[in-house]
Amino acid sequence: VEGGRIRQGLYYRGARLDSITDAGRAEMVRLGIRQEIDLRDAYQCKGPYVDGIRYTAVSIPSGTESRRFEEFADEYKTIFGLIAKADENPVYLHCTAGADRTGICTFILLTVCGADYDDIARDYLFTNFSTQGSRFNNFTTEFKQWWSKLDGFAGETKAEKAKAWLISKGVSADTVERIREIFVAGYTAQSGGSGDKDWTKYY
């Protein structure tokens, strides 16, 4: 959508909740979060961590950085299936630090919704405030690799290429369009955006 905006309050990314305080639990409930997605190694997934928030473990093992773009189709299908329900169940997605595994999911979500590179990069660099410290090297290497690798998928824009990537993982086109309708103000799948504008020409 030309001049479009991503709706807020539907999706949060962060770090593990093992040591969450009572104040932290209360804040998650206040924010309206209703779905936690835990991407950590299976042995670390011991939720639920907050009463009243659904817990789903979708393990993407640590040490798999070089394979995360090409593999884990079943996992991405589950993750984005849950994100497609964020209007009813706002999502808290996390791995250990909210950086790498969480990062690629957030990168794809923002890209398929049409955010441009600079805005996606700024969001990713907020990870510098995480418990793991600076992620600048990841931004200049892994992040840029994801952006470039999308060019191997069909579509005239990065948003359409990201859609093709999701479809390659088993996410249905209808699910992708539902995600866009939920997250992008003014977007409708029927019109390709708001009014009579051709949404596909925008990032």
Side-chain angles (χ1 to χ4, degrees):
V1 175
E2 185 177 16
R5 301 181 71 85
I6 303 293
R7 291 190 177 101
Q8 302 297 293
L10 299 174
Y11 176 91
Y12 300 85
R13 69 180 178 97
R16 60 188 179 184
L17 297 179
D18 303 68
S19 302
I20 189 170
T21 63
D22 288 342
R25 292 186 181 92
E27 179 65 8
M28 292 186 73
V29 171
R30 186 193 71 79
L31 289 170
I33 295 167
R34 298 182 63 183
Q35 172 69 63
E36 176 187 351
I37 306 174
D38 191 342
L39 305 181
R40 295 176 297 167
D41 294 84
Y43 74 90
Q44 297 173 301
C45 297
K46 299 179 180 179
Y49 297 98
V50 181
D51 289 342
I53 295 179
R54 297 177 178 89
Y55 177 82
T56 306
V58 189
S59 179
I60 297 176
S62 56
T64 58
E65 289 82 357
S66 64
R67 299 158 41 206
R68 287 178 191 156
F69 189 90
E70 290 79 11
E71 300 182 22
F72 302 104
D74 290 345
E75 288 80 2
Y76 291 123
K77 182 179 179 180
T78 299
I79 291 163
F80 283 89
L82 292 170
I83 290 172
K85 301 174 183 177
D87 55 335
E88 298 176 359
N89 298 304
V91 169
Y92 180 78
L93 182 83
H94 72 93
C95 46
T96 299
D100 301 323
R101 288 166 282 191
T102 304
I104 190 170
C105 294
T106 305
F107 164 82
I108 290 293
L109 174 61
L110 290 174
T111 303
V112 84
C113 285
D116 66 26
Y117 181 87
D118 289 342
D119 288 334
I120 299 168
R122 277 191 286 268
D123 177 85
Y124 185 71
L125 287 176
F126 273 112
T127 309
N128 288 341
F129 296 101
S130 77
T131 57
Q132 302 297 306
S134 175
R135 310 301 296 186
F136 187 76
N137 287 340
N138 292 64
F139 165 66
T140 56
T141 55
E142 187 176 34
F143 184 91
K144 287 186 175 180
Q145 287 176 15
W146 300 337
W147 187 257
S148 296
K149 285 180 177 180
L150 281 177
D151 287 335
F153 291 82
E156 294 184 3
T157 66
K158 289 289 187 178
E160 289 307 299
K161 292 175 187 294
K163 179 178 179 178
W165 183 89
L166 284 168
I167 290 172
S168 78
K169 303 300 182 188
V171 180
S172 72
D174 287 346
T175 297
V176 176
E177 291 305 309
R178 175 163 173 75
I179 289 170
R180 286 173 168 173
E181 289 181 329
I182 291 169
F183 281 89
V184 183
Y187 180 83
T188 61
Q190 289 76 20
S191 65
S194 59
D196 58 0
K197 296 183 183 299
D198 178 10
W199 182 84
T200 60
K201 67 182 180 182
Y202 304 109
Y203 276 136

